Amino acid sequence: ILGVIYLVYLGIRMLLDKSNAAFQAPEVDKLNIRKVYAQGILTSLTNPKVSLFFLSFLPQFIDTQTSGPIPFLILGLTFTTTGLLWCLFVAYFSSYVTNKLRGNQKIGMVLNKITGVIFIGMGIKLLQTKAPN
């Protein structure tokens, strides 16, 4: 019940909010690239889904009669290259869209209203769920 009340409160607050402060870009001091890179590497290395993917999916495409690491290296490089291209596309596209949206205050107000309605809807949906016995 407390979660429902909180979600509905947030939704109503967003609907009634006349300011556009939540849509402004946060102040960023100096970005530490090494720290961000190390955090990304740590996240990828500790993600079990990545290991399970490589252990279960990729060996299906390797001929068991061939010996050596060359087929695995080729598949790994192919995966890395396509992943890099896709992530670069997503990053640049997201940056472009973010800059366009932040420049338009009316879109910010509309997005806040839509988010408020979604929060209220999630609160109502949460209220309709039954608690386990």
Side-chain angles (χ1 to χ4, degrees), residues 16-37:
L16 298 177
D17 189 18
K18 300 294 183 204
S19 71
N20 207 9
F23 202 63
Q24 300 302 319
E27 291 296 322
V28 178
D29 292 335
K30 189 163 184 163
L31 189 62
N32 186 350
I33 300 296
R34 285 185 181 194
K35 184 177 178 181
V36 172
Y37 182 75

